Amino acid sequence: MSLLEPLRHRSFRALAAGRTLGTFGNSVAPVALAFAVLDRTGSAVDLGLVVGARSLANVLLLLFGGVLADRLPRAVILQGTEIAAGLSQALIAASVLCGFSSVPFLISLSVVNGAVSAMSLPASAAITPQTVPRDLLAPSNALLRLLVNGGRIAGAGVAGVAVAAVGSGWALAVNALLFFAAALAYHAVRLPRAERAPGSRPIADLIAGWHEFRSRTWVWAVVAQFAVVNAAGFGALTVIGPVVADETFGRSGWGLALAMQTAGALLGGLVAAHWQPRHALFIGVALVTMDALPALTLGWWPSLVPALIAMLVAGLAMEQFSVAWDVSLQEHVPPDRLARVYSYDMLGSIAAMPLGQIAAGPLVQHFGREPVLVTCGVLVVVATGLALCSREIRQLTNRQAAPVAPTGS
């Protein structure tokens, strides 16, 4: 089976285009916003508040997003959220370019962006099985990940160069246009009417989704693992990372490092597309330990080449997990409850992320940069080791564990 086989389906092509463009925009946004805040205040604490506000709004509304995605047409949800994201980013760009931005203003728009993201994430994750036959789930997820990571590479690279060359305001303006383009692509997604079954009541829908979530130990154990991994990792990379870059290898170097992380994910996606072991989830979870490398490297050896290598390895390893996780959920969770399970997954995985982002600045001021970064790396390793104690994670099998043939076969 060719890796490109899912592209025979029109709705999958539209989904792939929308997710790629949206991811490109989402890769530009955090880099441009981070340096916009640093240019205005120079404070890691302010930066933590801005990015943490987005994550907090995301946490509070994710479950509602999951209910909507199981009750309403998912393609329509994706169109609307991309338009809203484009409008909010355009307003942020205007505030930076025209000089009326402030930390409270940026925090408020970050809350809007977080709310929009909460509405779109469950729909984006759960829509894939509706666009291809079930026997194409593995190659379609791998191909989506490859395209999305290509968008991340382009976005991170463009962001670093654009911020250095023309400033963060124009980078944010380009970001808004990308979101509008993604909305246009999602407009071409057509889903079978029979698969758009509405739910009953929101509370009942949430309870049903919770039962699906908690009934599988392998699901909630991985989510608990990522509550720690994301809090530590994002606190280190989104708050402390730009500060380290400003003081050492520069903003363009930081954009390159983020692009290198996504290049590693791109390579990891190629591996995942052609290698699907029966116990893919166990292997993927074990490889999450590599996500500790960027924080440890920035703490012990804050220079460009080591950072590039660490980000490359981390990206490659994390992609093995991501593909295994998506396929595992889509194979083992009923389609009509998949978005709600994804919403609980996302909620648990990012619940502590705002705390990590908001606390990163004050912790660095109190304890120093190196101890905080090293602690973040150690937390990733410990959380992964605890997740691997679950027998369900070690034994879960991939129903379609067969290699995907090279492109063109």
Side-chain angles (χ1 to χ4, degrees):
M1 184 185 298
S2 170
L3 178 62
L4 301 182
E5 182 71 20
L7 292 176
R8 294 178 181 271
H9 301 269
R10 176 187 174 185
S11 290
F12 180 83
R13 293 197 303 270
L15 172 64
R19 287 193 62 179
T20 303
L21 288 166
T23 303
F24 190 113
N26 280 319
S27 297
V28 172
V31 178
L33 183 60
F35 289 118
V37 175
L38 290 176
D39 283 340
R40 184 162 189 84
T41 70
S43 169
V45 174
D46 288 339
L47 176 56
L49 289 173
V50 172
V51 298
R54 183 186 189 280
S55 297
L56 183 60
N58 210 263
V59 166
L60 294 176
L61 292 173
L62 260 176
L63 294 183
F64 182 59
V67 170
L68 285 182
D70 278 337
R71 298 182 66 168
L72 300 177
R74 291 165 182 167
V76 174
I77 293 173
L78 293 174
Q79 292 172 48
T81 53
E82 292 293 345
I83 291 171
L87 291 173
S88 63
Q89 289 300 101
L91 188 54
I92 293 175
S95 73
V96 173
L97 291 171
C98 298
F100 62 87
S101 66
S102 64
V103 171
F105 181 77
L106 294 177
I107 288 175
S108 65
L109 287 179
S110 290
V111 169
V112 172
N113 281 331
V116 168
S117 177
M119 296 299 101
S120 68
L121 284 173
S124 176
I127 198 174
T128 304
Q130 295 179 270
T131 61
V132 294
R134 293 192 68 80
D135 63 340
L136 292 180
L137 278 181
S140 63
N141 277 287
L143 181 57
L144 272 178
R145 300 286 309 180
L146 287 170
L147 294 173
V148 163
N149 284 324
R152 284 198 183 104
I153 292 174
V158 167
V161 173
V163 168
V166 298
S168 55
W170 287 111
L172 288 164
V174 171
N175 177 219
L177 294 177
L178 290 167
F179 286 137
F180 291 136
L184 186 62
Y186 284 133
H187 182 67
V189 175
R190 298 291 182 268
L191 303 180
R193 184 175 298 275
E195 297 190 44
R196 297 174 180 171
S200 51
R201 294 167 298 169
I203 298 300
D205 288 343
L206 285 176
I207 292 173
W210 171 252
H211 286 316
E212 288 291 338
F213 174 81
R214 72 176 179 85
S215 66
R216 295 169 171 83
T217 301
W218 62 271
V219 174
W220 60 256
V222 170
V223 171
Q225 171 198 10
F226 270 82
V228 177
V229 169
N230 286 337
F234 278 85
L237 293 185
T238 64
V239 178
I240 308 176
V243 176
V244 174
D246 254 358
E247 296 177 358
T248 55
F249 48 81
R251 299 182 175 188
S252 295
W254 183 241
L256 182 60
L258 294 175
M260 188 63 72
Q261 182 183 36
T262 311
L266 188 63
L267 293 175
L270 289 172
V271 173
H274 297 283
W275 179 54
Q276 297 163 30
R278 284 184 57 80
H279 299 290
L281 185 63
F282 166 67
I283 295 172
V285 169
L287 286 172
V288 173
T289 54
M290 296 296 100
D291 197 47
L293 288 178
L296 294 174
T297 301
L298 289 173
W300 284 330
W301 198 359
S303 56
L304 182 58
V305 173
L308 295 179
I309 295 172
M311 297 287 260
L312 177 70
V313 173
L316 193 156
M318 289 295 286
E319 194 64 11
Q320 303 304 301
F321 165 80
S322 296
V323 172
W325 181 242
D326 282 335
V327 173
S328 297
L329 287 177
Q330 292 166 14
E331 285 188 348
H332 294 278
V333 177
D336 62 331
R337 299 185 179 187
L338 182 58
R340 278 168 285 171
V341 172
Y342 263 120
S343 70
Y344 279 107
D345 158 33
M346 295 171 182
L347 175 63
S349 298
I350 70 171
M353 191 187 301
L355 177 62
Q357 292 172 319
I358 293 171
L363 287 173
V364 167
Q365 289 183 343
H366 187 73
F367 296 105
R369 193 173 65 198
E370 180 179 337
V372 174
L373 286 167
V374 172
T375 300
C376 287
V378 171
L379 286 173
V380 170
V381 175
V382 171
T384 302
L386 292 174
L388 291 173
C389 294
S390 167
R391 183 166 58 183
E392 285 193 16
I393 289 176
R394 299 195 303 270
Q395 296 181 351
L396 189 76
T397 58
N398 184 343
R399 295 175 183 173
Q400 300 174 19
V404 178
T407 301
S409 62

